[in-house]
Amino acid sequence: MLFVFTLYGVPRAQEEDKKIRIIMIGAHPDDCDDDGGGTAALFAQMGYAVKFVAVTNGDAGHQLTGGAELAKRRFAEAQEAGKRLGVVYDVLNNHDGQLLPSLEVRLQVIKKIREWNADIVIAPRPNDYHPDHRYTGVLVQDAAYMVAVPNIAPETPALKKNPIFLYFQDRFLRPNPFRPDIAVDITGVFDKKISGLDAHESQMYEWLPWIGHYSDKVPKDKGERIKWLAETRKQSISPGIKSALEKWYGKEKASLVKNAEAFEICEYGSQPDEEAIRKLFPMLGK
Ligand SMILES: [Zn+2]
């Protein structure tokens, strides 16, 4: 193990040790937290290795500051969020609001997935409202086969096994609505998820309220603020997610779930059957 460590500079997992390795890839420093923070916290609590990657540095996401100053602030917020959730948080230095699915960024994404030796890769679907989210979806799809091709980006060893690729949940209906193949009960870690989001002060309490015209709703007091955040981030469980929860947890357990995160299986990576999904998501269970 030590030898391999030295050779590649990263821990090797996939099959050799049984620890599942997860990488979530979002466009901005706060996207993974928002869409998968609860699931990440659960994996981390079970001792599995989780990494978040923001493909852009978030340097456009504020009404008063921008550029390097904002990128620096958001990097610090991401590190704090990572600490609270128990995940490693990487931020790539691409400009916010200007992301393109270029070959250059595709290679950056391939490298991140390989270095993490990921078993599970989670990213947005490529039909989101925000161009950075859309192109992050495209970039990860473009990496989904290439991570196993040794002649591409040969300086980082190719993965021996193609990971499974999943999509984060979203509300967009065209060309096709999100399909909740896997639903995770995050009721027990919902407060932790909110605490992770609370670390992104520039977003949760400043930028998003400003662009959404609800700045007047944000409480001034820090304790009140986090309660307000939890209240506004609660999501009702849709009938589709409810049936996914019933499938994975059984009817009785599913009826007790207050908060959930759902994922759709992408067609491009390894295609897991039910048994493989239960192995990869050990928190699922009746
Ligand atoms: Zn975003």
Side-chain angles (χ1 to χ4, degrees):
M1 196 61 201
L2 205 68
F3 164 74
V4 183
F5 230 90
T6 325
L7 190 64
Y8 296 119
V10 288
R12 305 297 289 167
Q14 289 215 70
E15 278 161 293
E16 293 108 64
D17 83 36
K18 294 220 170 77
K19 288 237 166 143
I20 298 149
R21 303 184 64 83
I22 303 99
I23 190 166
M24 298 192 187
I25 302 176
H28 307 112
D30 72 337
D31 288 357
C32 294
D33 322 48
D34 218 359
D35 298 329
T39 304
L42 281 173
F43 272 122
Q45 277 179 13
M46 299 172 102
Y48 297 111
V50 188
K51 173 175 277 199
F52 286 177
V53 177
V55 181
T56 77
N57 59 17
D59 62 357
H62 205 274
Q63 69 279 28
L64 300 172
T65 60
E69 188 190 330
L70 180 58
K72 198 177 157 201
R73 184 178 178 201
R74 296 195 66 180
F75 181 78
E77 290 174 343
Q79 296 316 302
E80 177 59 26
K83 217 190 286 170
R84 294 184 191 181
L85 295 171
V87 313
V88 179
Y89 214 131
D90 286 2
V91 179
L92 296 174
N93 208 18
N94 300 303
H95 288 300
D96 183 359
Q98 301 179 35
L99 186 67
L100 288 173
S102 64
L103 179 59
E104 185 198 350
V105 186
R106 187 201 296 171
L107 294 173
Q108 293 172 6
V109 169
I110 290 171
K111 203 169 166 213
K112 284 291 167 193
I113 297 170
R114 285 180 177 172
E115 283 174 347
W116 197 245
N117 210 27
D119 300 293
I120 304 172
V121 183
I122 314 182
R125 294 198 302 153
N127 57 330
D128 193 281
Y129 77 101
H130 194 303
D132 291 349
H133 298 178
R134 271 204 298 277
Y135 293 139
T136 298
V138 171
L139 284 158
V140 176
Q141 283 187 348
D142 289 351
Y145 173 66
M146 293 302 168
V147 291
V149 178
N151 269 329
I152 302 299
E155 66 282 6
T156 313
L159 292 180
K160 291 192 196 103
K161 196 177 144 220
N162 208 0
I164 71 159
F165 288 78
L166 303 175
Y167 296 119
F168 289 122
Q169 186 186 338
D170 64 58
R171 62 180 190 278
F172 302 101
L173 302 174
R174 290 179 187 158
N176 58 296
F178 170 81
R179 187 189 64 213
D181 294 322
I182 301 169
V184 178
D185 172 13
I186 61 153
T187 312
V189 288
F190 185 69
D191 288 349
K192 208 177 220 186
K193 173 174 181 170
I194 295 301
S195 165
L197 287 170
D198 170 71
H200 298 280
E201 290 187 2
S202 70
Q203 303 303 294
M204 299 303 131
Y205 306 125
E206 297 170 26
W207 167 244
L208 294 173
W210 184 84
I211 191 88
H213 307 286
Y214 58 91
S215 296
D216 56 322
K217 303 272 192 307
V218 183
K220 298 269 176 299
D221 178 76
K222 279 203 169 186
E224 289 303 312
R225 220 164 64 166
I226 197 165
K227 270 190 236 160
W228 168 84
L229 187 64
E231 213 43 56
T232 53
R233 294 281 152 168
K234 247 192 240 157
Q235 270 184 356
S236 56
I237 294 174
S238 70
I241 292 178
K242 176 98 196 210
S243 18
L245 286 167
E246 287 175 352
K247 174 181 175 180
W248 295 107
Y249 292 91
K251 274 207 164 169
E252 207 183 311
K253 268 197 186 173
S255 70
L256 302 171
V257 176
K258 290 198 180 74
N259 294 286
E261 282 169 354
F263 306 97
E264 176 176 329
I265 298 166
C266 166
E267 293 175 293
Y268 301 158
S270 284
Q271 296 300 293
D273 57 14
E274 188 172 329
E275 196 193 334
I277 292 171
R278 288 196 186 276
K279 253 188 214 157
L280 289 167
F281 285 79
M283 68 284 274
L284 302 174
K286 296 188 183 182

